[in-house]
Amino acid sequence: MTELQDLQAESKMVVIIDTRTPGQWKNAKDKIPGAIRINSQSDLQKLKADIPPDTEIVTYCT
């Protein structure tokens, strides 16, 4: 978490990906604002194709 906060404090481009299942995500009380939930590896590949190469990608499941 500290590394993510440091990246954000440095104003680096960061994409946060929530990797929980749909049910886990729906029932979760805590979610990182702005996080993108993906369903599959192919969704991740599509996302990676749409963001600049120097973008930090952070994944989480909690």
Side-chain angles (χ1 to χ4, degrees):
M1 191 66 192
T2 302
E3 288 179 55
L4 173 58
Q5 291 170 333
D6 290 344
L7 289 170
Q8 291 174 319
E10 295 170 12
S11 297
K12 294 211 175 191
M13 180 66 165
V14 179
V15 172
I16 303 169
I17 299 173
D18 188 322
T19 60
R20 292 178 281 188
T21 65
Q24 291 170 327
W25 185 83
K26 181 180 177 185
N27 294 322
K29 294 178 183 173
D30 296 315
K31 299 174 185 167
I32 297 176
I36 300 167
R37 196 181 67 73
I38 60 169
N39 291 314
S40 66
Q41 186 70 22
S42 64
D43 287 347
L44 177 59
Q45 295 305 318
K46 289 176 190 174
L47 177 66
K48 286 172 60 177
D50 292 337
I51 59 175
D54 59 339
T55 302
E56 296 286 342
I57 299 175
V58 176
T59 61
Y60 83 102
C61 63
T62 179

